[in-house]
Amino acid sequence: SSYTVRLISTDAQGASSPPALYSVTVNTPPTVDLIVSPTSGTPSIGSPFQLQSLARGSDGTITQVRWRITPSGTPADSTQPTTTWTPVVPGTYTVTLEARDNHGSIRSATRNVVLASTFLVSIPASDTTIPSGATLVTTTTRSGGTDPITYAW
């Protein structure tokens, strides 16, 4: 939006200066939104996510975007409108997109991504017959989860 500002100075005796006109343009910051989606399948640790900018200049053009992922994650400072990110540990991540327009205005948007650890326990897949009162010994295999792990049979 543009405005014309008119300035008239008056001294102590009442004498006024001719008006001075100034044009002032107020920049409207860009609108910013983002999409965080898995590139395929179910969101999981070790699987890539696509980060897509939906930034638009309200009265100009977007000249720069910057992605930040906290806690630290790649692409820590990517400036591409669309990029990928692969989380490697479980947790809550904040994905922030910051966009700057050609007038220097900056606006940002964020999304949270929560990734739980994958927890799997397996035992050998064979039926076993043991005498009554005997002890069964088996081996379990586990991946993921948070210690301590308890088992209930």
Side-chain angles (χ1 to χ4, degrees):
S1 301
S2 293
Y3 301 92
T4 300
V5 177
R6 188 173 94 164
L7 173 65
I8 300 174
S9 300
T10 305
D11 69 12
Q13 306 232 340
S16 296
S17 67
L21 301 176
Y22 298 95
S23 178
V24 176
T25 301
V26 178
N27 180 38
T28 303
T31 58
V32 180
D33 203 357
L34 62 130
I35 297 173
V36 178
S37 59
T39 55
S40 66
T42 304
S44 61
I45 298 162
S47 297
F49 283 76
Q50 180 176 0
L51 309 178
Q52 181 182 359
S53 166
L54 300 178
R56 303 284 181 263
S58 299
D59 57 2
T61 57
I62 299 299
T63 59
Q64 181 183 28
V65 297
R66 188 174 81 147
W67 295 97
R68 287 190 322 266
I69 300 170
T70 53
S72 160
T74 303
D77 287 312
S78 175
T79 57
Q80 300 300 313
T82 300
T83 190
T84 58
W85 159 63
T86 303
V88 294
V89 296
T92 300
Y93 294 88
T94 301
V95 179
T96 302
L97 170 66
E98 183 179 272
R100 177 186 303 261
D101 70 12
N102 60 316
H103 300 292
S105 290
I106 299 172
R107 188 170 274 170
S108 63
T110 62
R111 294 285 181 273
N112 287 326
V113 176
V114 179
L115 293 171
S117 64
T118 303
F119 181 55
L120 300 172
V121 175
S122 61
I123 58 174
S126 62
D127 292 333
T128 303
T129 303
I130 61 171
S132 177
T135 301
L136 172 65
V137 177
T138 187
T139 303
T140 62
T141 304
R142 150 188 158 206
S143 66
T146 304
D147 287 327
I149 303 294
T150 59
Y151 299 89
W153 299 90

